[in-house]
Amino acid sequence: MFTADAKTLNRIEPVVRRILIVDPNAASARLLLEIMKSLGAREVVTETDEGRAIEHARELEPGLIFTERTGVQLDGEQLARKIRRSNLSCRRVPIIMMTAEATASSIKGARDAGIHEFLRKPFTAGDLFKRIENVALKPRDWIEAVGYVGPDRRRFNSGEYAGPQKRSADKPKTADEAAVAVKDQAMRILTASLAQFDSDPMQAVRASKQQADTLKALAVRTGDTRLSVAAAALESCLAQGAPTKAALAGLINALLALAPPETQLARAG
């Protein structure tokens, strides 16, 4: 029988305190509920319907969400995307997807929907606990883009996943390399935000805010005064309310001009 040590249970307690389980299979949901109660969960809500799950998420403010991949009134990937792109206070909480259909396409679909972990059914309590430890104790950077919103996909934690950007060799090895990678990603997201502003203005603005904050913090760390001034200008504009595309374009282009020439050429192509 699986048992978790008290020290680890104390560390994961804030995450498992309130749980939302979205699963059309009553027996599966009940088993998961019982396991989570044994791990310290105080409030656990189960649901079968995607729409009602959103309302439960709003009211419960869970620290962790489990969702089945498919159901009569459930599309787990769509549920994850709705939560990630919502204004819910729990929009960034870990989501673990469960399914017996652990194919390469379903795992990739879960990753690209903003899922933190993928769990194949049937699973053991040990398998489940490993996933919970990952999301509770190994936090991942948050990506606020337009095409994707969720945890950094390059660190997709699922034991089922063996795709690209999984190895430690894929990560920048020096502080300078890390800074360049952060700056390049932020610039790319800003470019996409401006390009897709007309189709999804709310997410474009939210993504721009995140990148302004990221670049401002990077400028402070690296002592880049020009980057700091340009990022602060974008941040100030966004803080004043809903900006126009024209207003954003000038400020974002000022930031893009600070990218390395080779990056600008790649982006233009």
Side-chain angles (χ1 to χ4, degrees), residues 38-49:
S38 73
L39 294 178
R42 300 177 188 177
E43 296 180 67
V44 182
V45 173
T46 62
E47 183 53 73
T48 62
D49 179 89

Side-chain angles (χ1 to χ4, degrees), residues 7-65:
K7 183 177 180 179
T8 303
L9 288 175
N10 285 335
R11 294 179 66 196
I12 68 171
E13 192 276 335
V15 172
V16 305
R17 188 180 302 152
R18 294 189 298 276
I19 303 291
L20 174 60
I21 299 172
V22 190
D23 192 338
N25 185 308
S28 175
R30 185 167 55 252
L31 174 61
L32 181 55
L33 182 152
E34 291 172 357
I35 294 176
M36 295 311 302
K37 287 285 189 180
S38 73
L39 294 178
R42 300 177 188 177
E43 296 180 67
V44 182
V45 173
T46 62
E47 183 53 73
T48 62
D49 179 89
E50 183 180 314
R52 290 197 297 267
I54 295 289
E55 293 308 309
H56 285 305
R58 188 184 310 281
E59 296 170 5
L60 181 65
E61 297 184 4
L64 177 61
I65 297 173

